[in-house]
Amino acid sequence: MNIDSLIPLALAATVVTSGFAQVQNNAQPPVTPPAVADNRPKVDADHPASWVPGETKAERDVRMAWWREAKFGLFIHWGVFAVPAGEYQGKPVPGRFVSPFSEWLMFNGQVPVAEYRKFAAEFNPTSFDADAWVRAAQDAGMRYIVITAKHHDGFAMFRTAANDWNIVDGSPYGKDPLQELAAACRRHGMKLGFYYSQAQDWINGGAVGLAGMGDKAPPRWDPAMKTDMDDYINRVAVPQIRELCSNYGEFPQILWWDTPRDMNPERAAKIQAVVRELRPDAIVNNRLGGGRKGDTETPEGFIPAEGYPGRDWETCMTMNNSWGYRKNDDAWKSTAKIVRNLCDIVSKGGNYLLNVGPDATGLIPAASLERMKEVGAWVRQNSEAIYGTHAGPLTYNPAWGRVSRKGDRIFVYVFDWPADGRLAVPFTGNVLSASLLANPAAQVRATAGQDGVLLELPALKPDPFATVITLQVAGEVRGLPRPPQQAQGDGAIVLKATDARLTAKRMRLSGDDVPSLQMWVDAKDSAAWEIEVPKAGDYRVSLDYACPPKEAGNTFQIDTCAKQLTGTIAATPGGTQFREVDYGTLRFDAPGRYDLHISIIDKPVAGSAMSLRGIKLRPTQ
């Protein structure tokens, strides 16, 4: 598993800025290219693009309805890579070109084809119990499953006539686990989708590396790796996709593509034609390549700050570090983190696809099952605030939690219970009643205030993960604008990454303890804050950031109306080692409100510009 934006490991810490937004506003409108007749989906003017040619908004809404209602799914990364489990020749394989994910072991470790094939002889998952997997997903509150049918190592987890590099013909197990899983999903009423690596295939002649690597992808490390993309598409990918779309009854309801390196419109069209023929109602993601946008955006490992307005989207995320099973990977997310991620995602209109990596015997790790059970208990108590919800009315994400909506109900997810029991929800509207979702008898007092709807809460926080308050509303509900960042008692203005307005294609807010703006690999990405300057004068400007030495040297610019400050991003000891660095002075000629933007204006160094936790402005007098 690896999205195209997961660039080489050195780019893991990264991030952000924004004068671009100001320049963009002054730029000439882009010239619209003339329409060209082709086979790509036709776009409904009032709705996102569909992969189904000619599909209307109403038709698309029907096709997407179950998925939009479901909100929560289980991702399963399972394959022959579970045998080495991140180790080769007795040693852990470190991240070299991408992070040290188990399923990327052959790539990162440059394992010869013949050596890697030997792992199949040890792959005999006799403990695999499809019903147990489906029950665990249902108990977690998940309503669909997506499993790896074939990952980048080319090993098919199903019966296929395309070659013998598959679990039926190439392993002692000798059975098709996807048939067993499909039967279990059918028995339990679970939706099922297949992940299929349509482009990368290191053993069967497909592409090698991420599309975003360009010509910097590592060369093929074994003469046995003979790549011919058109031959691979015709001989392996298209026949196997036809098998997956034909042999499993009503499944798959989802097709999940990945890493579209070397995919062009012609190759993508061959694949899409098979899906259109056999699975016209399937939901497909945006990673097929060849200009195909698909149905869903797929942020990987992060939650976009504002979601994807106007697009269906799904965050996929691991519970620990690796997607596939990796020995000694004990960096588990807490149950509270998983629950709050779910709340964050649904508050922005998205779905959450949470991953597990079963081991080579077919068992899901106990730590995953424990968290799934705890999450499920919370979801059952708060299901009304998850399934079928839509993005909330707020214009920004409050520090204390999140907000979603379903019809005439507003759901307020409180992560940090206020010490004084008073919580301002920044929207205006007619609130008819307020109560705790898990205990409707416990009334919450709601009144209109200058900062929105003011809630008076019980003295004790009822839920350790997230407490949901239901507001019954009538009429129009409107989010209030984010208040400007105010100066502290010493006159300093502190701008946190969590409060930034992002103009971003790839940059994202990430990190558990002190989040930072990361993956700033596109110079057009930027961040901005509205600030309240209490008095005129000079302010020293410092950046709190991390930047590994090999990625240092790019130039940022801070804009505040007519004033600008530029600086060259110096290295810190590492990509996760933050330093506060003074970069000079900005002058404000008068007190008042200003928009402060930070952007990259010169990016000669490849990789991520920096990982930015915040900016501080200190008055010199």
Side-chain angles (χ1 to χ4, degrees):
M1 166 69 186
N2 204 290
I3 191 173
D4 209 12
S5 63
L6 277 181
I7 22 220
L9 188 65
L11 310 189
T14 95
V15 128
V16 85
T17 25
S18 164
F20 172 77
Q22 189 175 32
V23 175
Q24 187 182 50
N25 291 338
N26 296 329
Q28 295 298 316
V31 176
T32 303
V36 178
D38 60 18
N39 294 322
R40 285 178 292 184
K42 298 175 178 63
V43 179
D44 185 300
D46 299 319
H47 206 73
S50 163
W51 79 270
V52 180
E55 185 178 52
T56 66
K57 177 184 183 300
E59 290 168 339
R60 174 184 167 84
D61 287 344
V62 170
R63 183 169 59 85
M64 297 295 298
W66 75 261
W67 186 91
R68 292 172 180 167
E69 171 75 19
K71 290 300 176 184
F72 194 21
L74 178 66
F75 214 175
I76 302 174
H77 274 67
W78 195 37
V80 71
F81 47 78
V83 174
E87 295 184 0
Y88 179 54
Q89 296 179 338
K91 297 179 181 179
V93 174
R96 183 180 301 180
F97 305 106
V98 298
S99 296
F101 301 135
S102 166
E103 68 279 8
W104 282 79
L105 176 138
M106 181 180 177
F107 184 87
N108 280 329
Q110 298 194 327
V111 181
V113 170
E115 290 296 308
Y116 193 83
R117 278 183 172 272
K118 294 177 182 179
F119 293 132
E122 303 175 51
F123 191 29
N124 190 20
T126 54
S127 296
F128 169 56
D129 182 337
D131 284 291
W133 285 16
V134 176
R135 284 195 300 269
Q138 286 186 322
D139 288 347
M142 297 162 168
R143 293 193 167 179
Y144 61 101
I145 292 172
V146 178
I147 187 171
T148 49
K150 177 174 79 75
H151 209 271
H152 308 324
D153 59 7
F155 187 79
M157 291 292 290
F158 57 97
R159 184 184 300 276
T160 176
N163 54 46
D164 63 0
W165 182 231
N166 65 79
I167 192 169
V168 179
D169 300 318
S171 81
Y173 189 63
K175 294 182 289 185
D176 182 341
L178 298 194
Q179 286 288 2
E180 298 177 61
L181 187 59
C185 286
R186 192 173 296 115
R187 284 190 291 272
H188 296 279
M190 178 71 74
K191 302 287 187 180
L192 177 63
F194 296 149
Y195 167 112
Y196 185 86
S197 179
Q198 80 286 1
Q200 277 204 91
D201 191 318
W202 307 322
I203 287 182
N204 296 314
V208 176
L210 299 170
M213 290 178 173
D215 59 3
K216 296 181 180 179
R220 290 157 185 80
W221 53 90
D222 184 349
M225 299 169 68
K226 306 292 186 183
T227 299
D228 183 329
M229 274 300 288
D230 288 315
D231 175 69
Y232 159 74
I233 293 292
N234 295 330
R235 177 177 50 84
V236 179
V238 167
Q240 288 189 336
I241 292 167
R242 180 170 290 278
E243 291 169 335
L244 289 170
C245 290
S246 302
N247 297 341
Y248 298 89
E250 67 273 35
F251 307 123
Q253 284 123 342
I254 298 171
L255 283 160
W256 220 97
W257 316 118
D258 202 10
T259 65
R261 185 174 178 86
D262 295 339
M263 290 296 292
N264 58 29
E266 293 73 27
R267 293 164 184 159
K270 291 180 180 180
I271 291 174
Q272 184 162 293
V274 174
V275 179
R276 179 67 177 146
E277 173 194 349
L278 300 172
R279 290 287 163 212
D281 292 332
I283 294 167
V284 303
N285 72 358
N286 63 335
R287 301 191 188 185
L288 177 59
R292 313 286 167 160
K293 196 170 184 179
D295 293 314
T296 59
E297 298 293 327
T298 53
E300 180 172 321
F302 75 100
I303 303 169
E306 298 176 359
Y308 290 88
R311 283 283 283 170
D312 291 298
W313 63 277
E314 173 187 71
T315 280
C316 57
M317 195 173 286
T318 59
M319 285 197 207
N320 48 358
N321 286 329
S322 183
W323 297 90
Y325 176 74
R326 183 180 175 90
K327 297 175 185 176
N328 304 316
D329 181 1
D330 295 322
W332 298 100
K333 293 178 177 66
S334 68
T335 301
K337 180 64 177 176
I338 294 169
V339 168
R340 292 176 182 186
N341 282 345
L342 177 60
C343 297
D344 190 8
I345 289 164
V346 301
S347 79
K348 298 168 184 175
N351 281 25
Y352 192 18
L353 189 60
L354 185 63
N355 183 77
V356 296
D359 64 21
T361 73
L363 294 176
I364 296 173
S368 294
L369 293 173
E370 176 186 350
R371 283 156 178 77
M372 290 169 67
K373 184 176 181 180
E374 292 173 346
V375 170
W378 184 91
V379 171
R380 281 190 294 278
Q381 195 169 47
N382 297 280
S383 60
E384 279 296 307
I386 299 300
Y387 305 124
T389 55
H390 305 282
L394 304 192
T395 62
Y396 65 96
N397 299 317
W400 47 258
R402 295 293 183 265
V403 175
S404 72
R405 183 169 188 174
K406 183 193 293 184
D408 59 1
R409 285 179 294 172
I410 302 292
F411 297 109
V412 180
Y413 312 91
V414 184
F415 305 157
D416 299 317
W417 205 251
D420 63 0
R422 296 167 64 85
L423 187 72
V425 187
F427 75 87
T428 60
N430 182 15
V431 178
L432 304 179
S433 65
S435 62
L436 297 182
L437 178 59
N439 182 13
Q443 294 296 307
V444 176
R445 187 163 182 260
T447 56
Q450 182 178 357
D451 297 325
V453 175
L454 181 63
L455 303 180
E456 296 184 25
L457 307 175
L460 297 178
K461 179 181 176 183
D463 193 287
F465 303 147
T467 300
V468 182
I469 300 166
T470 304
L471 307 180
Q472 193 78 27
V473 298
E476 184 180 13
V477 174
R478 187 185 298 271
L480 295 175
R482 183 194 295 272
Q485 304 300 303
Q486 303 282 343
Q488 299 177 339
D490 60 357
I493 302 172
V494 178
L495 308 179
K496 298 179 181 179
T498 50
D499 296 324
R501 304 191 316 270
L502 305 184
T503 300
K505 181 179 179 182
R506 301 176 72 175
M507 174 254 291
R508 78 281 304 262
L509 182 69
S510 189
D512 292 341
D513 297 327
V514 183
S516 61
L517 295 168
Q518 300 179 6
M519 288 301 296
W520 192 17
V521 296
D522 191 325
K524 295 180 181 179
D525 289 353
S526 61
W529 296 260
E530 186 182 16
I531 62 175
E532 184 82 40
V533 176
K535 63 178 182 178
D538 293 332
Y539 287 73
R540 298 297 299 181
V541 179
S542 60
L543 272 57
D544 180 8
Y545 72 94
C547 181
K550 68 182 297 182
E551 295 173 14
N554 295 302
T555 303
F556 72 87
Q557 180 169 289
I558 293 176
D559 295 277
T560 57
C561 298
K563 306 296 183 181
Q564 297 177 339
L565 173 68
T566 60
T568 300
I569 301 168
T572 66
T576 58
Q577 294 172 279
F578 288 80
R579 297 289 186 272
E580 186 173 333
V581 179
D582 188 297
Y583 274 99
T585 302
L586 269 175
R587 182 168 184 80
F588 294 90
D589 294 330
R593 292 189 177 184
Y594 294 81
D595 251 10
L596 183 147
H597 299 256
I598 180 168
S599 61
I600 291 295
I601 60 171
D602 186 26
K603 197 172 186 299
V605 182
S608 181
M610 61 177 160
S611 180
L612 183 69
R613 290 201 300 203
I615 301 173
K616 183 176 288 187
L617 289 77
R618 295 182 178 88
T620 57
Q621 295 181 348

